[in-house]
Amino acid sequence: MKNEIILITGASGCVGQYIANWLIENSTSELFLWVRDPKKITSINLENPRIKILVGDLRESNKFKKEISEVNRVIHTATAWGDPKRAKEVNIDAVKNLLNLLNPSNIKQIIYFSTASVLDRNLNLLPEAFTYGTEYIQTKAQCLRELESHQLATKIIAVFPTLVFGGRLDGKSKFPTSYLTEGLRDALRWIWLARWIKLSSRFHFIHAADIAFICGHLANSDFEPVQPFSATKIKKLVLGQPYTSIDVVIQTLLIWKGMRRVPQIPILPWLIELITILLPIQMTNWDRFSLRQKHFIHEPVTSPETFGGISHAKTLSQVLHNSGLTKH
């Protein structure tokens, strides 16, 4: 029987490389890796006969019309932010063009990457994502809403990563380092000040290796996520570990740094907003909305344990250990 063909967009990014590597090691699928610069792929051997590189911008989908028509599954991780025009072209227009080039008789599954920021606690689209969101948030919310009416909607599994860690800071990983992992050094640098602050905000995180495990299992099976209380055609999975809090983060970083905890001063949201008014701090409407929302939690969340696996990094301590960050 012929091996399935999986198309991965954004395959040179942190999450894309973790997924591609997992599939090379744990499946027999052929991979079409869509990238702008193949030199950025550091985690896999591009001479592997199961790999075909598609070099081009996501907005150039007609360039790969033949290849796209052959694929059986798509894992769409590519995204854009910063420039409103490019964000719309990549996050909305290019996605729909890609789906329109798929052969309905060949395609079995589309794993579409969005962001947990566009969802409320019960995995419904936040109205505020459309009104207050940055160009990234707005285009991700708009694309998800438009995909609901697409002819392939029932074959789409939308995944919503929470805060993503990945790679290492000591140069010992073959994977790129995520923005969040890059920020760990700065977090430790300022922990002496943060230890005086008490914040009750809660959130989820996940490691890119665990995202790869989840996507790999989705792409290696006909798994159908259970969608209780949902009338949408598109299935939704928020990828994350059980929620933690900023207080727990501060305590974990203090232990890692070898520093003692001190009496903490509660910082209320109204005080933060007042500080941003008094000081020359630029904030978007989305920043202000996020401050008021305070908690960023979802129910349910999906981790490798959902599929009977073991998470690569289930706790923040494991994240720090896997990041190669020096412990004091």
Side-chain angles (χ1 to χ4, degrees), residues 148-179:
E148 280 288 348
S149 59
H150 196 277
Q151 62 175 343
L152 296 176
T154 56
K155 296 185 179 183
I156 297 174
I157 300 176
V159 294
F160 303 83
T162 49
L163 299 177
V164 178
F165 291 97
R168 292 176 67 90
L169 295 168
D170 56 7
K172 295 182 179 180
S173 174
K174 61 184 179 180
F175 298 102
T177 306
S178 74
Y179 293 111

Side-chain angles (χ1 to χ4, degrees), residues 97-323:
N97 290 339
L98 167 61
L99 265 59
N100 290 338
L101 291 176
L102 294 170
N103 185 339
S105 62
N106 284 342
I107 190 68
K108 296 180 179 179
Q109 179 192 71
I110 301 151
I111 300 176
Y112 166 73
F113 271 69
S114 187
T115 169
S117 299
V118 303
L119 299 180
D120 65 14
R121 179 170 185 154
N122 298 314
L123 313 194
N124 299 309
L125 267 172
L126 277 168
E128 292 84 357
F130 297 92
T131 54
Y132 301 141
T134 62
E135 78 288 331
Y136 171 70
I137 297 294
Q138 286 187 358
T139 52
K140 282 296 188 181
Q142 183 65 31
C143 185
L144 184 67
R145 186 161 67 182
E146 293 188 21
L147 289 180
E148 280 288 348
S149 59
H150 196 277
Q151 62 175 343
L152 296 176
T154 56
K155 296 185 179 183
I156 297 174
I157 300 176
V159 294
F160 303 83
T162 49
L163 299 177
V164 178
F165 291 97
R168 292 176 67 90
L169 295 168
D170 56 7
K172 295 182 179 180
S173 174
K174 61 184 179 180
F175 298 102
T177 306
S178 74
Y179 293 111
L180 200 58
T181 296
E182 288 281 4
L184 288 174
R185 284 200 185 99
D186 285 338
L188 281 182
R189 192 175 295 125
W190 288 99
I191 193 63
W192 66 271
L193 178 60
R195 64 176 174 163
W196 295 94
I197 298 172
K198 182 175 180 61
L199 291 168
S200 58
S201 179
R202 295 176 293 175
F203 61 92
H204 305 275
F205 67 84
I206 190 164
H207 196 280
D210 294 324
I211 294 177
F213 180 95
I214 294 167
C215 290
H217 277 261
L218 289 174
N220 274 336
S221 69
D222 294 319
F223 172 79
E224 291 289 337
V226 177
Q227 293 293 99
F229 316 116
S230 177
T232 62
K233 295 180 182 178
I234 295 177
K235 304 167 188 68
K236 302 173 189 171
L237 296 178
V238 172
L239 310 185
Q241 300 296 344
Y243 68 76
T244 186
S245 69
I246 291 181
D247 284 341
V248 171
V249 171
I250 291 174
Q251 179 62 19
T252 303
L253 290 174
L254 286 173
I255 293 172
W256 196 265
K257 188 75 173 176
M259 300 175 67
R260 288 182 295 178
R261 195 159 189 167
V262 296
Q264 294 177 303
I265 304 170
I267 302 295
L268 302 176
W270 67 266
L271 180 57
I272 297 176
E273 289 204 52
L274 178 61
I275 292 172
T276 62
I277 294 173
L278 297 176
L279 297 177
I281 300 174
Q282 291 188 342
M283 293 189 68
T284 65
N285 290 331
W286 183 255
D287 294 331
R288 292 188 177 89
F289 167 71
S290 298
L291 282 175
R292 291 193 295 270
Q293 184 168 324
K294 194 166 89 170
H295 299 300
F296 304 89
I297 56 178
H298 305 276
E299 181 63 38
V301 291
T302 299
S303 68
E305 281 72 13
T306 305
F307 299 89
I310 299 175
S311 290
H312 179 76
K314 195 166 188 66
T315 66
L316 188 60
S317 293
Q318 290 176 321
V319 166
L320 295 175
H321 176 76
N322 292 329
S323 72

